[in-house]
Amino acid sequence: MNTQIKKVVVVGRDADAWLSALMLQLSFAKPEQSIEVHLVELPSKLHPHDTYSVLPSHKVLHKMLGISENMLFKAAAAQYALGQRFVNWTDKSSYFHCYDTHGINIGHVEFFQYWIKARQNGFEIPLEDFSLGVEVAKQGRFLAFSDDVQSFSKATYGYHLNALAYLQLIAKAAINAGLQHHISQIKSVEIDEGVIKSLILETGSVVNGDLFIDASGPEARLIGELEDTENFSSWQEWLPCDRKIILSAPTLSPAPVFTQITAFKQGWIGFSPLPNRTAVTAIYSSRHASNNDVLQTMTAISRAKTEGAVESSFQSGARKKLWIGNCIAIGSAAVNLEPLDALQLHALHLGLSLLRLFFPVNKSRMIEADTFNQKMQSLIINFRDFQIAHYKLNRRFNEPFWDALRNMAIPETLAAKIELFKHRGVIALLEDETFQEENWTSIFVGHGLIPHTFDPLVNKLSEEEHIEQFQNILRYVVGEAQAMPSLSAHIEMTFESNKHSMF
Amino acid sequence: MSEQLKIVIVGGGTAGWMTAAALMGVATEKVCQLVLIESDQLGTVGVGEATLPQMKDFNDYIGINEADMMQKTNATFKLGIEFVNWGYKGSSYIHPFGKFGEPISGVDFHQMWSRVKGLDGIEPIEAYSFAVQACRHNRFDFPVDDQTEINSTYAYAYHFDAGLYAQYLRKFSEEKGLTRIEGKIHNVNQDPDTGNIKSVVLESGEEINGDYFIDCSGFRSLLLAQTLKASFDDWSPWLLCDRAMAVQSECSALFPPYTQATAKSAGWQWRIPLQNRTGNGYVYSSQFISDDEVSQSLLSDLDSPALKAPMMLKFKAGRYKDSWQKNCIAIGLSSGFLEPLESTSIYLIQVAIVNLLKLFPNKIPNQTLINEFNRLIDVEYETVRDFLILHYHLNSRDDSELWHYCRNMQVPESLKQKMELFKHRGYVDTYKYGLFAPPSWISVFLGQGLEQQASDPYAYNTSQEYTENKLRELSASIKKRVELMPKHSEFVSDYCKSKM
């Protein structure tokens, strides 16, 4: 048993570092195991303006980490997000992508196929009106429904998170769980035969370990020392945005329960409502706009003051091998994506799930690496394609940035999806998909992709029955949404009751 | 857009009638007009007498009453497959349609079991599978819905007479208005421009047109291979068996709720219990044994007296690339063949039908729909192929050339990786597309002698004592529950006694 891993060292900063450290500490550093987890924390790059927008699946990670919703809201870290509203990405003004299905299957055939037929016959009602999740988002309510609605709707929510408050919560939990915490820059990485032996810190101390987690973000402080120069593949040809500006605006009343993503001439601006502010994030291409242009656009759209705006640069792309030797790149050291589609912490979440699944059993023979790398690659490509789809399918004409994106060649995986959808409205789902049929359908239709044909089995239903079913669904959706509490009523009831009792 | 489609099914048999029944069950006349051409002169293969649990979904989907179907097909229940002498001589394991145990503290059961195996009071893994224990005691009952109960952890399939099942579906389809045309096909007409099939002409001279032709012509692959010249992906370097000798024998007193597959020197022998008889067959590689030797060996290994003389069947493992081409969709043996070791023949028919319905075409064939269908079918075929190869490859038998060859052959990289990771740490992949969930892989890995060398480190978060207690409780509770189940023979005679 002396081949067992005894010491894991996480090197990095912010979400990648703290979430990794907490997961490892809770999963493997229990008394039965005698594994030590160390975090070498590099200086934070976070700013009070920073925000994370996360998918519903992030709740699975929280469950693994013992983070309850109550803790999130008490720390004023979170607000619910039922999805995104995309504004000005097409010639139509906006559409919703919420985490929910549309309508309900009729007979053996999917609802969407009936909608295509109706649309071909001149029916004007948007697909999103058949989605309970979208209706709840529009009405600004808290998602709460009874079991019998579950056969109709899969609606669920993610969160907007105040990055600093959130990470304070996570860090506290990690320290309480017994994590060994060092604060220092890395002076050098000692490597022997493709394996990291130890780290020499700026403080002079030496940290050795059996397994090293690179959570240092794009600088890839550890894995960068082990990989060849070809290991990073840039996605700039499909995702050309490379600059980010963040700032904060006042809260909106009533607070929206979704992220708004508004496209402009050279990128997009996201609005994430939080309990104490509205986080505003602009993502743009520095080849097409100056930061002054973008700051002006941000003020014009949000009426936020631009003082204190923080700017940074990034490059979309991913490493091919995330696990080399005894080093595993996690989060943005593995994949760097713009924060579209609430994917910002998603690669981190997936990486941590797989790290737990494949935590090496033998420190001198980590054959798990190949499978880990293949699976991550497959997951990454699928959600990357989802982001590319927004750009490829834009309908903003006569603007060089958007025109070029509309005409670009796209990865074959995405091209095949679009092709099949265009013909028939079916999603060619692959293994390892983050987004399911309903998500792809929401954005494809939202961007104006209307399939040319529908399933002939739809014709079983008579015109009258067809119309009647549609009317029933629309009534049902509105009625169910109206029965839910408003977001503010829910927050007050659930999370602020203690506050009141203090007075 | 709403034009009615005309669909012609070429061939009866299991594939033809399943396709017909599904289309008649789901589509109406408004959507398509359906014709099935079949010749009474041509025999059907119908070896697929053992099925997988997905069969029940298919029957439910098209609206077939289970008990009625079972009464009219001499059917029995099936909870798994017993593999005898695979891996090594003297071995016996059951690949169950159910799980091994249940997760302990969020960790897969087999990881916890592997941690404590060999300790006092810890039994072989099959003691923790409800389905395996029901098999070992020849018992059957329906699984319960309550997922917290151990007797909810399995599914079931059927053994039936595939010929009678085809007849049953024929009646079902004809009652719904299907037109069956008796006759042999003389020639096939193609559109000179598109190459699409325009019509088939019967020996009687009758010409039958259609928008789509479904090739259910069996091994002959009349439309896909002979007319459209599909190319064949040959998998016989991995799956060497190329013949089967089948024989029926009297009903055995055992009446087990499982199929048996016994490895032999040049292949393996199946035993499938029906209500009125037992189906048997020796699947073998003609490179390694003569037909006469097979016939002798088959007969001498029967549990009960033979009813007829053995019949021989030839085949080649593999499949035609792209089973949907132009306006022709091949379903069943016309699209490919994989030996019935894991009872996958009917399943592969079923997935072709389900995907055809999911991608139901309009009047003019569209290449993107076709590509998607073929992509989905590729995944299914390849998963089954690799799982079959595993049975042959993972062996330590040194009694014959076949087993020696299979042990040393190069297997697909993905399979090699699966075996290595199981051995290294008991890791079993889960995937959404394609057959075989982790319990299937675990049963074959362990049953054929691939021991895992270490457990998932996460499994060590639970104390050893707690784990041992959990395992003890579980096997005791399974034993108690299984003893309360009716005998399979009694259950069948109460629920679905044959009316044939």
Side-chain angles (χ1 to χ4, degrees):
Chain A
M1 281 310 260
N2 56 5
T3 55
Q4 206 187 315
I5 298 225
K6 290 288 173 204
K7 189 169 169 190
V8 187
V9 181
V10 180
V11 172
R13 58 170 62 85
D14 304 332
D16 292 346
W18 284 107
L19 285 159
S20 300
L22 179 58
M23 187 285 284
L24 289 163
Q25 180 69 31
L26 292 179
S27 302
F28 299 104
K30 293 198 179 156
E32 291 83 358
Q33 293 223 35
S34 67
I35 297 178
E36 282 178 38
V37 179
H38 290 247
L39 168 64
V40 178
E41 193 192 0
L42 306 175
S44 172
K45 289 192 174 169
L46 277 186
H47 186 274
H49 288 324
D50 265 301
T51 179
Y52 299 128
S53 190
V54 298
L55 288 170
S57 62
H58 204 73
K59 286 179 285 192
V60 178
L61 179 63
H62 283 169
K63 203 174 166 201
M64 197 194 288
L65 302 179
I67 303 294
S68 70
E69 196 158 275
N70 204 21
M71 291 157 81
L72 287 178
F73 278 78
K74 283 250 162 73
Q79 189 56 281
Y80 297 108
L82 296 175
Q84 298 92 38
R85 178 172 182 237
F86 287 87
V87 180
N88 293 340
W89 289 71
T90 71
D91 36 5
K92 301 262 165 41
S93 61
S94 75
Y95 75 90
F96 274 92
H97 165 220
C98 284
Y99 312 119
D100 197 9
T101 49
H102 308 93
I104 190 165
N105 291 3
I106 305 172
H108 291 295
V109 184
E110 283 189 13
F111 173 83
F112 182 54
Q113 296 295 325
Y114 293 90
W115 184 85
I116 303 171
K117 180 182 177 182
R119 170 50 75 94
Q120 287 185 356
N121 291 340
F123 179 77
E124 290 284 324
I125 298 191
L127 179 66
E128 65 184 35
D129 286 17
F130 293 88
S131 166
L132 183 58
V134 173
E135 186 59 29
V136 173
K138 283 182 181 167
Q139 292 188 17
R141 293 179 189 271
F142 173 70
L143 193 68
F145 53 70
S146 57
D147 289 350
D148 52 316
V149 182
Q150 278 174 12
S151 60
F152 179 85
S153 165
K154 294 209 289 198
T156 179
Y157 55 79
Y159 305 110
H160 299 134
L161 300 166
N162 262 314
L164 275 178
Y166 176 63
L167 289 186
Q168 276 159 12
L169 188 71
I170 301 289
K172 208 169 124 195
I175 302 286
N176 285 344
L179 173 76
Q180 311 214 29
H181 183 203
H182 317 255
I183 300 174
S184 174
Q185 293 271 28
I186 307 282
K187 199 158 136 198
S188 66
V189 181
E190 303 299 307
I191 295 170
D192 184 25
E193 293 185 4
V195 164
I196 299 177
K197 290 292 167 199
S198 60
L199 309 174
I200 298 174
L201 307 187
E202 289 282 359
T203 58
S205 54
V206 177
V207 180
N208 50 22
D210 302 317
L211 180 67
F212 290 84
I213 308 299
D214 188 344
S216 65
E219 91 180 68
R221 186 65 187 85
L222 304 186
I223 201 153
E225 307 261 359
L226 295 169
E227 67 190 354
D228 57 47
T229 48
E230 310 279 277
N231 198 35
F232 184 82
S233 37
S234 165
W235 296 334
Q236 264 186 327
E237 56 180 307
W238 306 304
L239 298 166
C241 290
D242 58 356
R243 303 289 289 175
K244 174 165 123 174
I245 299 177
I246 52 172
L247 50 84
S248 293
T251 52
L252 297 165
S253 185
V257 285
F258 51 84
T259 325
Q260 177 153 316
I261 307 285
T262 303
F264 67 96
K265 215 170 154 190
Q266 306 97 346
W268 57 267
I269 298 174
F271 301 89
S272 306
L274 284 158
N276 55 338
R277 64 190 175 102
T278 302
V280 186
T281 306
I283 298 291
Y284 67 98
S285 157
S286 63
R287 286 195 298 129
H288 295 84
S290 73
N291 61 345
N292 251 337
D293 299 340
V294 177
L295 280 170
Q296 273 172 25
T297 312
M298 286 175 93
T299 341
I301 299 181
S302 71
R303 275 171 256 125
K305 293 202 179 77
T306 55
E307 289 124 59
V310 179
E311 190 168 359
S312 57
S313 62
F314 65 94
Q315 187 187 9
S316 288
R319 302 200 128 66
K320 292 180 200 113
K321 285 187 182 163
L322 310 180
W323 184 337
I324 300 175
N326 62 342
C327 175
I328 304 173
I330 280 285
S332 50
V335 191
N336 210 6
L337 270 178
E338 56 184 84
L340 191 60
D341 298 312
L343 282 166
Q344 209 175 353
L345 297 185
H346 189 60
L348 171 62
H349 172 199
L350 294 173
L352 292 179
S353 300
L354 290 189
L355 173 57
R356 196 171 85 157
L357 193 62
F358 290 109
F359 189 85
V361 295
N362 184 331
K363 65 180 176 192
S364 47
R365 206 170 150 255
M366 298 189 189
I367 66 165
E368 293 91 348
D370 283 348
T371 306
F372 179 95
N373 286 333
Q374 284 161 15
K375 279 198 178 284
M376 280 304 290
Q377 211 51 246
S378 157
L379 287 157
I380 288 167
I381 283 174
N382 289 337
F383 63 69
R384 173 203 67 188
D385 282 359
F386 198 76
Q387 285 199 343
I388 297 174
H390 290 290
Y391 287 102
K392 173 70 184 174
L393 298 174
N394 85 75
R395 296 175 64 80
R396 292 181 66 104
F397 297 93
N398 303 318
E399 292 171 328
F401 174 76
W402 294 101
D403 288 343
L405 286 163
R406 212 169 39 253
N407 295 321
M408 70 181 162
I410 51 174
E412 223 164 271
T413 38
L414 177 59
K417 271 201 178 78
I418 291 177
E419 196 57 25
L420 180 64
F421 189 83
K422 235 189 220 167
H423 176 68
R424 174 49 75 77
V426 172
I427 303 296
L429 273 195
L430 306 175
E431 202 66 59
D432 305 315
E433 293 266 10
T434 291
F435 295 104
Q436 303 303 308
E437 274 101 344
E438 62 269 21
N439 308 109
W440 287 98
T441 301
S442 293
I443 71 158
F444 283 167
V445 171
H447 281 276
L449 212 57
I450 306 298
H452 299 155
T453 72
F454 56 86
D455 187 335
L457 294 171
V458 162
N459 291 326
K460 275 167 74 175
L461 202 68
S462 71
E463 299 288 322
E464 300 78 56
E465 284 171 304
H466 193 153
I467 292 168
E468 198 188 315
Q469 294 268 19
F470 271 35
Q471 284 168 341
N472 288 342
I473 294 172
L474 290 170
R475 258 199 307 275
Y476 179 83
V477 164
V478 172
E480 286 298 326
Q482 274 167 354
M484 295 178 197
S486 75
L487 179 71
S488 53
H490 170 79
I491 299 275
E492 194 160 323
M493 285 284 295
T494 315
F495 302 113
E496 292 179 8
S497 50
N498 290 351
K499 229 186 265 177
H500 290 293
S501 66
M502 281 166 72
F503 294 95
Chain B
M1 282 304 304
S2 55
E3 255 178 308
Q4 189 198 42
L5 293 178
K6 184 168 177 192
I7 299 179
V8 181
I9 299 174
V10 174
T14 319
W17 286 111
M18 280 179 73
T19 308
L23 286 173
M24 294 308 291
V26 173
T28 58
E29 228 174 283
K30 255 191 193 166
V31 178
C32 72
Q33 187 204 344
L34 191 63
V35 178
L36 185 144
I37 306 168
E38 181 182 37
S39 164
D40 286 336
Q41 295 168 46
L42 294 172
T44 59
V45 171
V47 289
E49 293 180 320
T51 62
L52 294 177
Q54 287 80 359
M55 184 84 235
K56 182 175 160 46
D57 303 334
F58 179 80
N59 286 336
D60 290 349
Y61 181 72
I62 63 176
I64 281 175
N65 177 290
E66 178 178 81
D68 184 56
M69 181 278 291
M70 293 184 76
Q71 283 165 358
K72 290 169 182 162
T73 58
N74 283 317
T76 65
F77 290 101
K78 174 180 174 186
L79 293 171
I81 305 172
E82 185 195 13
F83 290 89
V84 180
N85 293 339
W86 291 81
Y88 52 97
K89 269 197 163 171
S91 67
S92 157
Y93 71 91
I94 288 179
H95 166 197
F97 298 149
K99 298 178 188 165
F100 292 99
E102 48 199 9
I104 299 173
S105 312
V107 179
D108 289 344
F109 178 82
H110 75 281
Q111 295 285 3
M112 298 308 259
W113 173 81
S114 137
R115 215 189 120 186
V116 295
K117 71 184 169 195
L119 295 177
D120 211 27
I122 301 302
E123 297 177 74
I125 197 159
E126 71 167 44
Y128 307 95
S129 163
F130 193 88
V132 175
Q133 289 309 305
C135 288
R136 293 293 189 203
H137 293 87
N138 285 322
R139 291 175 190 269
F140 183 82
D141 205 341
F142 293 126
V144 297
D145 288 336
D146 181 352
Q147 301 218 337
T148 62
E149 298 286 343
I150 189 69
N151 50 339
S152 71
T153 59
Y154 65 98
Y156 65 89
Y158 316 104
H159 302 114
F160 57 38
D161 181 326
L164 291 178
Y165 182 62
Q167 278 178 34
Y168 185 89
L169 294 179
R170 173 174 168 184
K171 190 158 169 274
F172 175 92
S173 310
E174 287 183 332
E175 276 169 9
K176 288 190 185 266
L178 173 104
T179 312
R180 174 186 182 272
I181 297 174
E182 164 67 35
K184 272 167 96 170
I185 288 168
H186 183 260
N187 64 292
V188 180
N189 292 325
Q190 283 174 274
D191 183 298
D193 298 330
T194 61
N196 287 350
I197 295 170
K198 257 172 62 182
S199 65
V200 290
V201 181
L202 303 184
E203 282 180 348
S204 63
E206 186 183 353
E207 182 176 359
I208 296 153
N209 295 301
D211 298 311
Y212 286 90
F213 291 80
I214 303 191
D215 186 350
C216 298
S217 64
F219 283 128
R220 288 178 305 147
S221 193
L222 187 69
L223 305 181
L224 185 71
Q226 292 188 32
T227 307
L228 298 177
K229 311 286 181 221
S231 66
F232 192 76
D233 228 341
D234 183 356
W235 293 340
S236 62
W238 293 306
L239 298 167
L240 278 72
C241 290
D242 58 355
R243 290 182 190 189
M245 187 86 75
V247 70
Q248 297 174 2
S249 67
E250 283 177 16
C251 190
S252 113
L254 265 175
F255 214 56
Y258 56 88
T259 309
Q260 191 184 58
T262 305
K264 303 177 73 153
S265 67
W268 60 279
Q269 183 159 333
W270 78 74
R271 186 191 71 193
I272 297 170
L274 303 186
Q275 289 192 46
N276 61 328
R277 60 173 166 83
T278 304
N280 308 275
Y282 188 166
V283 177
Y284 59 101
S285 166
S286 60
Q287 287 176 58
F288 297 106
I289 196 168
S290 74
D291 297 341
D292 283 347
E293 288 171 282
V294 165
S295 171
Q296 270 178 27
S297 167
L298 168 66
L299 292 170
S300 73
D301 284 347
L302 295 181
D303 290 345
S304 54
L307 293 167
K308 292 175 186 165
M311 297 235 311
M312 200 258 283
L313 197 73
K314 292 182 183 176
F315 51 77
K316 189 183 219 177
R319 60 173 299 232
Y320 294 101
K321 279 179 201 140
D322 301 340
S323 48
W324 182 346
Q325 297 190 13
K326 303 185 187 290
N327 63 339
C328 166
I329 301 114
I331 295 182
L333 298 173
S334 54
S335 69
F337 179 86
L338 285 166
E339 58 186 83
L341 184 57
E342 283 285 353
S343 315
T344 47
S345 316
I346 289 182
Y347 170 81
L348 289 169
I349 293 173
Q350 184 181 338
V351 291
I353 295 170
V354 168
N355 285 317
L356 173 61
L357 287 170
K358 186 185 163 198
L359 301 166
F360 208 77
N362 304 96
K363 199 119 186 149
I364 296 162
N366 174 278
Q367 197 57 40
T368 57
L369 278 188
I370 296 174
N371 292 346
E372 176 66 357
F373 177 90
N374 289 329
R375 181 182 76 83
L376 293 167
I377 299 295
D378 281 351
V379 173
E380 297 286 351
Y381 260 97
E382 279 162 25
T383 321
V384 174
R385 177 197 69 192
D386 285 3
F387 196 58
L388 295 184
I389 294 172
L390 174 68
H391 290 71
Y392 283 101
H393 181 57
L394 189 55
N395 83 81
S396 54
R397 288 179 62 133
D398 50 15
D399 57 309
S400 79
E401 232 183 298
L402 170 77
W403 296 107
H404 186 259
Y405 171 88
C406 291
R407 183 165 62 249
N408 294 308
M409 68 186 170
Q410 280 295 321
V411 299
E413 196 53 40
S414 57
L415 179 59
K416 213 162 110 190
Q417 208 176 13
K418 282 193 172 87
M419 289 170 57
E420 273 175 5
L421 269 187
F422 186 81
K423 192 174 166 191
H424 189 64
R425 59 177 300 144
Y427 173 76
V428 186
D429 196 15
T430 45
Y431 40 86
K432 189 171 163 190
Y433 297 97
L435 257 185
F436 305 119
S440 300
W441 290 94
I442 292 168
S443 67
V444 179
F445 285 146
L446 292 175
Q448 299 200 184
L450 191 71
E451 295 270 323
Q452 69 180 90
Q453 291 168 339
S455 292
D456 182 350
Y458 193 70
Y460 290 88
N461 285 328
T462 309
S463 79
Q464 182 168 317
E465 195 190 348
Y466 180 80
T467 308
E468 286 182 59
N469 284 338
K470 273 280 176 199
L471 262 69
R472 263 187 227 108
E473 278 168 31
L474 185 62
S475 73
S477 118
I478 289 175
K479 279 193 187 77
K480 212 169 90 193
R481 294 289 185 96
V482 166
E483 274 167 25
L484 296 173
M485 289 172 95
K487 285 276 178 201
H488 178 225
S489 53
E490 288 162 14
F491 193 94
V492 166
S493 87
D494 281 353
Y495 179 72
C496 54
K497 196 170 172 57
S498 172
K499 288 187 173 166
M500 299 310 289

